[in-house]
Amino acid sequence: MEEGVVNEILQGPLREVFDSKQLITDVSGSGNNWAVGHKVYGCTYREQIVENLRKAAEHCDCLQCFFVIHSMGGGTGSGLGTFVLNLLEDEFPEVYRIVTSVYPSAEDDVITSPYNSVLAMRELTEHADCVLPIENQSLVDIVNKIKQMAYSGKPGAVIKQDSTIISGRGGVSSLEKPFDAMNNIVANLLLNLTSSARFEGSLNMDLNEIAMNLVPFPRLHYLVPSLTPLYTLADVNIPSRRLDQMFTDAFSRDHQLIHADPKHSLYLACALMVRGNVQVSDLRRNIERLKPSLQFVSWNQEGWKTGLCSVPPVGHSHSLLALANNTCIKPTLVELKDRFMRLYRKKAHLHHYLNVDGMEQACFTEAVSSLTSLIGEYEQLDATKGLLAAEAPRLNIAV
């Protein structure tokens, strides 16, 4: 909502990406307060948001889905972001809503971020079709790994001037913006996700198929993303990884965009979206090779969805985005709930929220109970780990 931030984007290198007529701003942001973003700005700008949404939708030949990209820790991202999500459900109930949510780290400098995140989580659980959670701390760790790789190659090796890990204004210098590299990882995730809508491929995956094939229960729609190779983001003078190694990397904890280890948790379903010169036989071979080390839920042992796009990312022969509907997200949710309860037990900063019109304490209790039941559902599934599906009774054919 902050005009200053939006104006800076409109004067920056990405100004051509945005249609300035579609931008909605206000003088100030939400003050790290979910209630201000959701209840105040949401109600104030509702009609304008709906009108701009309709204008954008009318220009589409084939509207596949909506992407909502927002952060969870602040007020506008969590509050107004989830308000827009609700609007989309009301105005376009048939169109899938895919949300990319950036979760704050434990060392977050916004003291009310646990409140904002848990209040937003309730909305995401109720109104999104798919959520791709990303943790700030994981992005920081990945960027640090890339920098280590960049500098540990040859003595004196440096990241190239035009490398996308930096701001694109030349070199690692005072002009580099601290979050550019982290944002680029999320941008690469979205580029891989939408590649089949933009390029040719022998086995292109429609965006709607992601929600259709990876979400067996409506509430359990959190898909853990992993990206490989990670150094798509920098020139690190490393030869491209063998194809098989790329598939192995996608399931290792180092390549997940949240702190999680899917290999040791239970899979409900998994999608592999490959770009580059890769054959269906390569895909099949790697799935068969990895299958014994992965635990799938008993009733969906063949829960794989695959996509092949023939155009690789710039500067690479191939890349892979894996989306795992996996119980490994549970520790992230438990930690979020613990951080929320530490504040909520002391009623710390609660008055800032309750002073907002339309905001009641019941919103907090309902949000935390929604999160608790979500954690419980993942726990129930985890308890079935290692169980095999009972043999279905054979049909007796009457002669």
Side-chain angles (χ1 to χ4, degrees):
M1 294 304 292
E2 292 181 49
E3 277 175 0
V5 177
V6 174
N7 288 337
E8 195 179 325
I9 292 169
L10 292 179
Q11 289 158 15
L14 295 177
R15 59 184 175 275
E16 298 299 321
V17 175
F18 299 98
D19 176 0
S20 57
K21 291 178 194 155
Q22 289 291 90
L23 296 172
I24 300 171
T25 56
D26 200 298
V27 176
S28 68
S30 303
N32 296 324
N33 188 326
W34 181 90
V36 174
H38 199 86
K39 306 282 183 187
V40 178
Y41 284 132
C43 296
T44 307
Y45 289 96
R46 182 190 171 99
E47 294 310 313
Q48 208 178 331
I49 294 169
V50 169
E51 190 183 335
N52 284 17
L53 279 170
R54 284 186 184 144
K55 274 184 193 167
E58 281 165 13
H59 285 126
C60 295
D61 296 325
C62 173
L63 180 57
Q64 279 200 12
C65 74
F66 289 108
F67 277 115
V68 179
I69 303 166
H70 71 131
S71 73
M72 300 284 278
T76 307
S78 64
L80 189 65
T82 52
F83 181 85
V84 171
L85 186 66
N86 297 358
L87 268 190
L88 291 171
E89 187 177 37
D90 292 342
E91 299 293 326
F92 303 90
E94 302 301 313
V95 184
Y96 280 113
R97 298 168 297 285
I98 298 179
V99 186
T100 306
S101 305
V102 180
Y103 286 70
S105 62
E107 285 77 42
D108 186 34
D109 59 352
V110 177
I111 196 162
T112 54
S113 70
Y115 284 162
N116 298 332
S117 301
V118 171
L119 287 162
M121 273 293 296
R122 183 189 175 208
E123 305 294 321
L124 292 181
T125 304
E126 301 296 330
H127 304 289
D129 290 302
C130 271
V131 179
L132 310 182
I134 295 161
E135 280 180 353
N136 263 333
Q137 192 56 52
S138 290
L139 297 179
V140 170
D141 294 347
I142 288 170
V143 169
N144 289 339
K145 273 182 215 133
I146 293 168
K147 284 185 174 168
Q148 281 172 3
M149 289 161 78
Y151 289 109
S152 65
K154 301 168 188 169
V158 292
I159 298 174
K160 265 192 178 174
Q161 290 271 310
D162 296 325
S163 163
T164 50
I165 192 174
I166 54 170
S167 60
R169 299 187 189 178
V172 179
S173 68
S174 58
L175 288 172
E176 179 188 354
K177 292 188 180 175
F179 302 112
D180 279 352
M182 293 162 67
N183 288 337
N184 277 325
I185 295 169
V186 183
N188 274 281
L189 159 70
L190 294 169
L191 287 172
N192 278 24
L193 198 61
T194 57
S195 60
S196 59
R198 296 180 291 117
F199 302 116
E200 290 293 308
S202 56
L203 193 65
N204 266 349
M205 191 195 297
D206 192 304
L207 284 167
N208 297 336
E209 294 177 49
I210 295 171
M212 187 73 75
N213 290 274
L214 296 188
V215 183
F217 304 109
R219 282 166 59 84
L220 306 184
H221 52 236
Y222 293 86
L223 309 179
V224 178
S226 65
L227 212 51
T228 175
L230 284 176
Y231 50 85
T232 329
L233 316 173
D235 173 22
V236 291
N237 298 320
I238 293 176
S240 73
R241 304 282 263 181
R242 280 181 21 252
L243 189 64
D244 288 10
Q245 184 62 46
M246 187 177 78
F247 280 90
T248 304
D249 286 347
F251 294 90
S252 82
R253 62 190 308 163
D254 291 344
H255 286 69
Q256 309 302 316
L257 300 191
I258 71 166
H259 274 293
D261 189 358
K263 232 174 177 179
H264 294 104
S265 300
L266 190 67
Y267 277 88
L268 304 185
C270 184
L272 300 175
M273 303 179 79
V274 186
R275 294 182 63 182
N277 184 21
V278 180
Q279 306 303 317
V280 177
S281 56
D282 295 323
L283 255 174
R284 285 277 146 230
R285 187 184 76 250
N286 276 289
I287 288 174
E288 292 304 322
R289 177 175 68 84
L290 290 161
K291 222 189 219 173
S293 64
L294 306 174
Q295 298 190 63
F296 269 76
V297 74
S298 59
W299 38 261
N300 197 21
Q301 292 289 310
E302 301 298 323
W304 296 89
K305 180 70 187 162
T306 52
L308 278 180
C309 172
S310 49
V311 179
V314 174
H316 279 271
S317 54
H318 40 251
S319 75
L320 169 63
L321 166 66
L323 300 174
N325 193 340
N326 190 297
T327 58
C328 67
I329 192 171
K330 190 182 74 179
T332 300
L333 304 180
V334 170
E335 188 190 338
L336 186 60
K337 183 187 167 187
D338 290 346
R339 288 177 60 209
F340 174 92
M341 291 311 295
R342 278 201 291 276
L343 282 179
Y344 190 61
R345 277 192 201 103
K346 296 175 181 173
K347 303 286 185 277
H349 304 284
L350 212 57
H351 60 284
H352 294 302
Y353 290 78
L354 300 180
N355 287 342
V356 174
D357 280 348
M359 188 70 183
E360 296 169 0
Q361 197 159 334
C363 295
F364 285 87
T365 51
E366 285 165 13
V368 78
S369 70
S370 168
L371 184 58
T372 305
S373 72
L374 187 67
I375 292 166
E377 286 170 54
Y378 279 114
E379 270 171 356
Q380 276 183 334
L381 281 166
D382 251 344
T384 68
K385 210 158 48 173
L387 296 179
L388 292 172
E391 277 279 320
R394 293 185 177 275
L395 289 172
N396 291 321
I397 298 169
V399 180

